Amino acid sequence: SDLTHGRDPTVEAFLKAAHKKRTFDVIVAETAPGGEGRQAAVALAEAGISTTLIADATVFAMMARVNKVIVGAHGVMANGGLVATAGCHMVALAAQQHAVPLVVCAGLYKLTPLFPSGAEQFNLLLSPQPMLQYDEGLQGVHAPNPAYDLVPPELVSLLVTNIGGNHPSYIYRLLAE
């Protein structure tokens, strides 16, 4: 099985193209609190791919059944690290713990010459509404909802772009070109 997190059009296109050549199962983490994974699961199932939707909290438990993790990225940093959907770092750590390769599908336009210097510099805090309804009466409860995670390059096995696959350490060469 393959596992994915969030909903990324590049990953969806990659999986749908692969499905034309062979049969496989995809496990999709729901990607709370926004639920993008639920939308991805529906799209993959509609394309005829055998799809299982899981809660984010069960990613580590399910990783033993996974052959590879395939994720997208909001951006690929100069060091080969990722700016990815919040929760992706946890998925990457679970993959590393189980010796499962993490494959990133991203177009070359997502490469950035920036080096990460902390999650705060780029992160966007989204509305707490998906986590905590305004009418729940929980005054004084802090509910940060970050949009992105920084995933360090040592957790990335392969970066697949529109010109082929590369190791994250090769990103600086692609940027130079």
Side-chain angles (χ1 to χ4, degrees):
S1 292
D2 296 335
L3 184 139
T4 190
H5 177 267
R7 185 171 191 191
D8 186 274
T10 310
V11 172
E12 257 177 61
F14 179 83
L15 291 170
K16 287 175 182 176
H19 178 65
K20 290 179 180 151
K21 293 187 165 78
R22 61 187 195 94
T23 306
F24 54 90
D25 302 329
V26 177
I27 297 169
V28 183
E30 67 173 337
T31 320
E36 298 87 0
R38 292 192 291 268
Q39 299 162 14
V42 169
L44 293 172
E46 284 174 349
I49 298 170
S50 172
T51 307
T52 303
L53 180 66
I54 62 170
D56 295 335
T58 63
V59 164
F60 194 90
M62 293 294 285
M63 196 60 74
R65 301 180 185 187
V66 174
N67 298 322
K68 67 184 161 303
V69 174
I70 303 173
V71 295
H74 180 68
V76 180
M77 307 297 253
N79 67 348
L82 312 176
V83 176
T85 306
C88 194
H89 191 185
M90 174 206 61
V91 171
L93 287 168
Q96 180 192 47
Q97 182 70 31
H98 286 84
V100 172
L102 179 82
V103 178
V104 180
C105 293
L108 282 177
Y109 68 94
K110 297 224 175 165
L111 269 59
T112 170
L114 300 174
F115 280 88
S117 62
E120 308 75 37
Q121 78 173 35
F122 65 84
N123 223 331
L124 205 60
L125 279 179
L126 304 173
S127 164
Q129 175 71 14
M131 296 166 51
L132 193 64
Q133 301 302 309
Y134 294 121
D135 58 4
E136 287 186 71
L138 294 171
Q139 270 65 38
V141 174
H142 185 57
N145 183 10
Y148 305 113
D149 260 352
L150 264 184
V151 179
E154 54 272 17
L155 297 179
V156 178
S157 308
L158 182 68
L159 175 70
V160 177
T161 67
N162 38 308
I163 60 164
N166 292 108
H167 189 269
S169 63
Y170 192 74
I171 299 307
Y172 75 98
R173 294 281 298 274
L174 291 176
L175 284 166
E177 290 170 21

